[in-house]
Amino acid sequence: MATTPTSTPAPKTNRIGLTVLDYRGGKTTLCAGCGHNAISERIIDAMYEMGVPPERVIKPSGIGCSSKSPAYFMSRSHSFNAVHGRMPSIATGAVLANQKLIALGVSGDGDTASIGVGQFVHLMRRNLPIIYIIEDNGVYGLTKGQFSATADLGSKLKTGVINDLPPIDTCAMAITLGATFVGRSFSGDKRQLHAMLKAAIAHKGTVMIDVVSPCVTFNDHEGSTKSYKYMKDHEEPIQDINFIPAFEEISVEYDPGATVQVTMHDGSRLQLHKLEEDYDPTDRIRAISRLHEAHENNEVLTGVFYVNTKAPSFIDMLDMTPEPLATLPESVVRPGREVLEQVMEGLR
Amino acid sequence: MATTDVALRQATGQAGQKRVVNNMSIQVATVNGSGSQSSNSVLLRSIFQMGVPVSGKNLFPSNIAGLPTWYTIRANKDGYIARKKEIDFLVAMNAETAKEDVMSLAAGAAVLYDEPLGLDKLRNDLTFYSVPYDKLVAPVCPEAKLRKLVKNMIYVGVVAKLLDIDMAQVEKAIRKQFATKQKAANLNFAAAKAGYDYAASSLTKQDPYFIQPMDKTAGKIIIDGNSAAALGSMFAGVTVVTWYPITPSSSLVETLIDYMKEYRIGKDGKATFAIVQAEDELAAIGMVLGAGWAGARSMTATAGPGISLMAEFAGLSYYAEVPGVIWNIQRVGPSTGLPTRTSQGDILSTAVLSHGDTKHIMLIPNSVAECFSMATDAFNLAEQFQTLVFVMSDLDLGMNNWMSDPFEYPTTPINRGKVLTKEDLNRLGSFSRYKDVDGDGIGYRTLPGTEHPAAAYFTRGTGHNEQSQYSERPDDFERNMERINKKFETARSFVPRPEVITTGKAKLGIIAYGTSHWGIIESRDQLRNEYGIETDYLRLRAYPFTREVHEFIEKHDRVYVVEQNRDAQMLSLLKLDIKPELVTRLRSIAHIHGLPLDARSVTDELSSMEGK
Ligand SMILES: Cc1ncc(C[n+]2csc(CCOP(=O)(O)OP(=O)(O)O)c2C)c(N)n1
Ligand code: SF4
Ligand SMILES: [Mg+2]
């Protein structure tokens, strides 16, 4: 018998006592090196660090390699792998049924910008509280590499086919339509995506993040504008992002001239240290025009393009009881006999 | 009774005519958008208030203003309220159709027309009354721009006088119609009165039609099927409603919005519901499924074109086992094909909506009372069986006014189905979402947000095992398909049973459903009285078919399946369900003219098919 017992140190836990393992999902079946896997990892880390109870999270998705990924993170959260391009409606219904849920929707560029563009547009307009992530590889991965509508002009497929249609900029679209937290990141930019996701969790309203996420199998070659190499060469972050959650009582000094600080709904602080002079993420019009300029200059801008913490969310507009509609008791949802009597009297 | 009535009465009976009391159909031919709706409702209500069974059917074009519209009121002492083919009394207000309207009448009918139309020259076997509307309207309605609307109330007064409808009832109906607008009520009553006075002083009663007081409507209500469905849904506890406007379903949700605002706002002023106008029907059904998945009682209302768009999601609901209610107010379609005409044309496509093997539960109301009661059935079945339930109404039922006994307060409690709570999970430790624990094919589900580490499961289409893990294994797939089929078999004993009328002596059976019912009950009497043909009758109220349906077909030599579509859609579903040797017993009587089914057409066809 050993005299000095060896104790393994207790695993690290977050503020609600869960370990990072509690945020894991099933083993991925996506290709090794697929950008989508890296995004799943960032989601796990962000949710863990923010101390979000996994049971309160729902993971609706559409169809595609990207839309499969909710199976690979947060197994303790309900998932709904819906039909192609219709994640927004599933998410909307679920959030209406239970406004206490935290919705993290995953979609692809095909799922969002082609078949699902109608639902995407209207979700943005409603400013429904949801984190909408596009895992954007410029192609349809699951159907083996056809162009999607986010593919850049002149981008080349493995087969040599050149894209001759202009891309849809989902971020410019989201800002135009009313989303209140809009950004672009890169699955390979660990630090930036991580900070952005944490801020997204603190936001109340539609968060739309377009994450460039290379498809190693169909769109990572020379001539692609969504490859790891292209992104490493062309990514232009407009800010250095620092996120300080409300539960961390630390004060971080910042220079108001060089940094924009946004106070989020829960009191968290989002500090955007300007890498581009004069960029103001609360100016919608300027944000949209800057995105269009980027296309002209072949730059891939990343960062938080627009944030607005004042706009009412769809839930606010509906003026519902704070209790989830899903579990309201019969006594609340079925009016009494006297109501039916009164209505009948009026019809006599 | 006014003394002038006596004078008119005496004038009737010319040529030894027999008085026809409480048995007629009145048709008002107007122009869409001319504001004749209120006048027609007032006329309908006045007859109803006199205790005479009545129905009103609006035959309108797909147009906002300018195209012809016909409103038919049938008053019938025996309670027959189906559309009647023949028109007895025509109110011709539309110059464009007047000639054709008059030419299509049977001899002996009466025509009330706007003087300048000069219709009385067209035929000499009809009774004509002319009314100088423009002259009459000017003194009662000084405001010129209102005259077009008010003019319509004049014919109500004239008809009241000619048919002997009590003016006190007309006034009551007008005051009800314009309940919140006293000035409008006064103006309209003055117009009706002007019509009445004109008829009293200048027209001589020559037709045989009269309305006389009866006691057959006491305590009854008048309501359209869509409003009844809306009320039913509210009392069924609906919490999430999504929709995309389409005739004839829009008024269902619009009425529901009004009711919910009135009766489903909590004491704190907060809504106990969410109603969202979606961007299209794809989104409408997606939101219904998202909400149903998360535990809300959710519904949408649509018509054929919307149903088509919902196909993919309907299949997902079937396989992912997500509850929801869809009101299908059937109409003719697609596209611009008679969108404002009634039909039972979506029966087959809805039953199997989507790809792969799918079969959906459908409930089929025939009356406003069933629109109300089946709402509770639909939501309970949807949650009990964790699947979509379609309520198959139609334009005739949904948009027309029907009399009914007052609705009964739902006695069935709200059944939320097999949902495991946090406490259940504490007890059980874990659960398998798609395992048939109880032998009825129905698994247990958890709602998102349930605070238990074992609560979550992954929702997707067909490819999953009992634990809801992704699987493409043939045995998993097959087991799942069989289990879902078992649910459908279980549903046979839970859906509303058919209404069966057996005489004990009939070799012939009739099967019908929905609004066809009203033509059938009248036709059965015609067949018996005119041809000596005795029939038994089964009115379907749901799909899947229950035991009674099979028994009924087995007990009859020939079974006529009457429906309002071309391809005998319900008959096709029956064929799939019954014993092969019984299939040859089925005969189809199908109607596809876009007008509500009338008894005469059925009687003619059935009797001739029986060789009479
Ligand atoms: C209605 C419908 N049409 C087509 C498909 C076939 N399909 C599956 S995934 C996909 C494209 C997915 O592309 P994207 O959203 O970019 O996801 P990725 O695989 O690239 O992550 C398509 C067209 C489908 N599932 N459903
Ligand atoms: S095909 Fe492309 S998108 Fe799909 S998993 Fe492989 S790398 Fe990822
Ligand atoms: Mg893609």
Side-chain angles (χ1 to χ4, degrees):
Chain A
M1 200 172 152
T3 47
T4 48
T6 52
S7 68
T8 41
K12 233 180 108 197
T13 57
N14 63 7
R15 66 188 177 112
I16 59 165
L18 297 184
T19 72
V20 74
L21 289 178
D22 294 315
Y23 292 81
R24 298 242 144 242
K27 191 174 165 310
T28 179
T29 62
L30 303 180
C31 305
C34 174
H36 303 350
N37 284 330
I39 300 173
S40 298
E41 292 300 319
R42 298 294 81 71
I43 293 171
I44 290 170
D45 291 347
M47 288 285 183
Y48 166 73
E49 283 180 28
M50 290 293 283
V52 177
E55 288 76 22
R56 277 191 49 205
V57 176
I58 55 166
K59 304 171 292 174
S61 63
I63 295 288
C65 295
S66 35
S67 294
K68 284 181 170 201
S69 71
Y72 317 130
F73 62 87
M74 297 180 80
S75 293
R76 281 171 59 172
S77 310
H78 278 75
S79 259
F80 197 151
N81 200 167
V83 290
H84 197 17
R86 319 294 173 206
M87 176 273 276
S89 58
I90 291 290
T92 305
V95 171
L96 294 180
N98 184 349
Q99 56 181 292
K100 294 186 174 163
L101 296 174
I102 297 162
L104 183 131
V106 177
S107 180
D109 43 319
D111 200 61
T112 289
S114 289
I115 193 168
V117 77
Q119 296 207 349
F120 172 72
V121 161
H122 289 277
L123 181 78
M124 298 301 126
R125 281 181 72 212
R126 294 189 182 107
N127 196 28
L128 181 87
I130 181 179
I131 303 166
Y132 188 118
I133 294 174
I134 306 177
E135 303 189 342
D136 184 359
N137 51 21
V139 288
Y140 293 178
L142 195 58
T143 51
K144 299 191 183 292
Q146 303 82 359
F147 274 129
S148 82
T150 65
D152 290 304
L153 207 64
S155 170
K156 194 163 82 184
L157 280 188
K158 262 185 163 173
T159 55
V161 177
I162 308 278
N163 176 39
D164 45 18
L165 292 176
I168 290 178
D169 188 318
T170 50
C171 289
M173 218 167 155
I175 299 169
T176 309
L177 293 164
T180 47
F181 186 115
V182 179
R184 176 167 288 131
S185 189
F186 168 40
S187 66
D189 191 336
K190 204 166 165 175
R191 226 181 72 81
Q192 186 198 49
L193 180 54
H194 184 67
M196 227 190 260
L197 284 170
K198 288 203 284 186
I201 293 166
H203 185 73
K204 242 188 118 199
T206 300
V207 176
M208 207 300 285
I209 307 179
D210 176 41
V211 188
V212 178
S213 173
C215 169
V216 290
T217 307
F218 297 111
N219 204 15
D220 198 30
H221 48 271
E222 190 63 40
S224 157
T225 61
K226 296 273 195 282
S227 66
Y228 281 111
K229 177 159 188 323
Y230 189 89
M231 282 304 289
K232 293 221 164 87
D233 296 347
H234 293 81
E235 185 189 358
E236 289 281 347
I238 48 164
Q239 312 115 339
D240 204 21
I241 304 174
N242 191 21
F243 178 78
I244 307 136
F247 55 84
E248 273 176 20
E249 310 247 320
I250 47 172
S251 64
V252 179
E253 294 297 314
Y254 71 98
D255 164 12
T259 301
V260 178
Q261 173 163 300
V262 183
T263 306
M264 309 299 291
H265 294 92
D266 64 351
S268 304
R269 283 159 294 162
L270 175 64
Q271 294 182 342
L272 303 167
H273 178 71
K274 296 184 207 173
L275 298 177
E276 185 165 312
E277 248 179 87
D278 303 335
Y279 192 85
D280 175 5
T282 61
D283 181 345
R284 252 177 96 216
I285 309 294
R286 176 73 192 115
I288 295 164
S289 79
R290 182 65 189 89
L291 284 167
H292 287 294
E293 271 166 38
H295 284 287
E296 300 292 310
N297 308 338
N298 287 329
E299 302 165 293
V300 186
L301 283 196
T302 61
V304 176
F305 300 140
Y306 178 65
V307 57
N308 172 358
T309 55
K310 306 283 182 309
S313 79
F314 196 46
I315 296 297
D316 300 328
M317 289 182 249
L318 288 168
D319 204 16
M320 293 188 279
T321 168
E323 288 311 308
L325 297 180
T327 46
L328 292 177
E330 181 164 333
S331 57
V332 173
V333 298
R334 175 177 277 175
R337 283 176 185 277
E338 68 294 345
V339 170
L340 186 61
E341 230 348 277
Q342 186 186 333
V343 176
M344 291 298 110
E345 197 43 52
L347 297 166
R348 283 201 168 96
Chain B
M1 197 187 288
T3 44
T4 47
D5 286 346
V6 182
L8 274 172
R9 235 353 105 67
Q10 285 159 349
T12 349
Q14 292 180 345
Q17 252 179 344
K18 252 184 89 184
R19 283 163 55 96
V20 180
V21 178
N22 296 346
N23 184 12
M24 74 198 71
S25 75
I26 306 165
Q27 183 166 71
V28 183
T30 51
V31 175
N32 203 26
S34 66
S36 57
Q37 285 249 26
S38 334
S39 311
N40 297 334
S41 299
V42 165
L43 198 49
L44 178 86
R45 278 211 156 268
S46 307
I47 298 172
F48 170 78
Q49 285 162 196
M50 287 177 70
V52 183
V54 71
S55 65
K57 297 197 186 297
N58 193 12
L59 191 75
F60 60 105
S62 174
N63 160 261
I64 300 302
L67 289 184
T69 300
W70 295 267
Y71 189 79
T72 311
I73 293 173
R74 180 171 186 192
N76 184 278
K77 59 183 184 332
D78 300 314
Y80 297 135
I81 52 170
R83 184 176 73 88
K84 191 181 161 203
K85 234 177 162 179
E86 309 77 25
I87 302 302
D88 302 308
F89 199 108
L90 173 71
V91 179
M93 300 294 286
N94 184 358
E96 204 187 312
T97 63
K99 195 170 165 206
E100 203 188 325
D101 289 338
V102 168
M103 295 316 287
S104 63
L105 293 171
V111 181
L112 184 70
Y113 67 95
D114 192 1
E115 196 170 46
L117 295 178
L119 300 179
D120 54 339
K121 310 283 176 306
L122 288 174
R123 285 174 63 169
N124 54 19
D125 56 349
L126 305 174
T127 305
F128 285 97
Y129 304 104
S130 85
V131 181
Y133 289 101
D134 286 336
K135 270 184 230 143
L136 297 178
V137 76
V140 285
C141 185
E143 224 176 306
K145 69 177 193 317
L146 288 180
R147 282 183 196 155
K148 198 180 100 187
L149 297 174
V150 171
K151 206 166 125 175
N152 290 308
M153 208 53 84
I154 294 178
Y155 69 67
V156 174
V158 178
V159 171
K161 178 69 218 164
L162 289 172
L163 298 183
D164 215 2
I165 296 169
D166 187 351
M167 267 314 261
Q169 297 300 350
V170 173
E171 177 166 12
K172 190 174 153 198
I174 288 176
R175 304 237 171 257
K176 190 174 177 82
Q177 181 77 26
F178 301 97
T180 53
K181 303 170 206 143
Q182 174 138 31
K183 255 173 99 180
N186 291 342
L187 180 63
N188 278 283
F189 183 62
K193 188 77 177 49
Y196 186 94
D197 292 344
Y198 169 79
S201 62
S202 314
L203 299 179
T204 309
K205 172 81 174 176
Q206 284 167 323
D207 66 82
Y209 302 105
F210 290 94
I211 296 290
Q212 276 185 11
M214 287 181 81
D215 60 353
K216 284 210 176 166
T217 66
K220 291 197 191 291
I221 58 165
I222 291 186
I223 189 171
D224 60 273
N226 281 350
S227 300
L231 262 184
S233 301
M234 177 172 74
F235 282 95
V238 69
T239 48
V240 175
V241 183
T242 67
W243 65 302
Y244 187 77
I246 184 169
T247 306
S249 72
S250 306
S251 66
L252 195 165
V253 179
E254 283 162 341
T255 312
L256 182 56
I257 292 170
D258 292 343
Y259 281 135
M260 296 290 257
K261 280 189 181 157
E262 177 108 33
Y263 301 113
R264 285 278 300 275
I265 303 281
K267 288 196 185 74
D268 55 357
K270 300 284 181 190
T272 61
F273 58 88
I275 302 182
V276 180
Q277 185 180 326
E279 53 271 32
D280 56 28
E281 289 88 347
L282 295 167
I285 187 176
M287 291 176 196
V288 165
L289 295 185
W293 175 73
R297 290 213 135 178
S298 57
M299 66 170 251
T300 180
T302 187
I307 292 285
S308 311
L309 289 185
M310 293 176 181
E312 189 185 17
F313 255 138
L316 183 67
S317 143
Y318 181 79
Y319 282 110
E321 303 182 55
V322 181
V325 170
I326 299 188
W327 291 87
N328 181 358
I329 316 301
Q330 297 169 90
R331 61 174 228 193
V332 179
S335 177
T336 47
L338 273 60
T340 57
R341 301 299 160 85
T342 195
S343 148
Q344 294 179 325
D346 298 346
I347 294 294
L348 196 51
S349 57
T350 303
V352 296
L353 190 67
S354 205
H355 53 281
D357 292 303
T358 41
K359 288 183 282 191
H360 300 289
I361 297 175
M362 301 190 291
L363 308 187
I364 315 171
N366 76 326
S367 62
V368 290
E370 283 193 347
C371 285
F372 180 80
S373 65
M374 280 185 180
T376 292
D377 296 336
F379 282 101
N380 280 354
L381 287 166
E383 289 195 302
Q384 184 184 351
F385 287 91
Q386 302 172 5
T387 195
L388 280 184
V389 172
F390 291 86
V391 191
M392 308 296 285
S393 175
D394 64 29
L395 182 142
D396 181 21
L397 181 53
M399 290 190 73
N400 285 321
N401 277 321
W402 298 75
M403 26 167 250
S404 168
D405 284 328
F407 303 153
E408 279 170 33
Y409 191 76
T411 46
T412 341
I414 288 176
N415 175 0
R416 309 302 315 262
K418 297 183 187 178
V419 177
L420 298 175
T421 60
K422 175 182 167 185
E423 291 70 31
D424 294 327
L425 291 168
N426 278 337
R427 194 162 39 79
L428 296 165
S430 66
F431 83 112
S432 296
R433 168 70 182 96
Y434 296 114
K435 196 174 156 91
D436 183 7
V437 182
D438 303 324
D440 54 7
I442 309 164
Y444 284 80
R445 63 179 184 137
T446 54
L447 304 184
T450 304
E451 288 171 9
H452 192 284
Y457 66 94
F458 199 101
T459 305
R460 51 163 79 83
T462 27
H464 57 75
N465 63 16
E466 289 178 344
Q467 285 74 44
S468 75
Q469 290 154 337
Y470 188 70
S471 168
E472 294 185 11
R473 287 172 57 115
D475 56 339
D476 280 337
F477 182 75
E478 200 172 341
R479 192 176 320 127
N480 191 44
M481 294 292 281
E482 292 304 337
R483 182 186 53 76
I484 294 176
N485 200 39
K486 194 179 198 180
K487 283 206 312 189
F488 197 72
E489 291 303 314
T490 305
R492 287 183 196 271
S493 355
F494 286 88
V495 296
R497 318 212 143 265
E499 177 187 344
V500 186
I501 303 172
T502 42
T503 56
K505 43 191 174 176
K507 289 202 179 73
L508 295 188
I510 295 177
I511 291 182
Y513 55 92
T515 49
S516 302
H517 171 77
W518 305 99
I520 298 298
I521 49 173
E522 187 177 352
S523 172
R524 289 182 66 231
D525 291 348
Q526 290 174 347
L527 286 164
R528 183 185 316 106
N529 299 338
E530 299 170 20
Y531 295 95
I533 299 177
E534 197 65 65
T535 58
D536 289 344
Y537 172 40
L538 180 143
R539 177 169 69 83
L540 293 166
R541 302 205 302 149
Y543 180 73
F545 303 121
T546 59
R547 190 171 40 78
E548 293 86 345
V549 180
H550 300 98
E551 287 170 3
F552 185 83
I553 298 172
E554 225 151 303
K555 277 194 205 133
H556 295 90
D557 293 348
R558 289 180 295 289
V559 177
Y560 289 89
V561 184
V562 184
E563 45 193 321
Q564 301 177 53
N565 54 56
R566 186 192 63 189
D567 292 341
Q569 299 187 12
M570 189 65 88
L571 187 144
S572 309
L573 284 180
L574 285 165
K575 274 190 191 167
L576 295 175
D577 219 66
I578 60 177
K579 290 186 197 147
E581 63 270 26
L582 295 179
V583 167
T584 52
R585 298 186 182 185
L586 302 180
R587 308 273 187 282
S588 169
I589 295 185
H591 280 262
I592 46 159
H593 38 41
L595 305 176
L597 186 76
D598 66 284
R600 183 53 61 193
S601 304
V602 178
T603 304
D604 289 351
E605 200 164 335
L606 198 151
S607 59
S608 98
M609 285 168 87
E610 282 295 311
K612 303 256 174 158

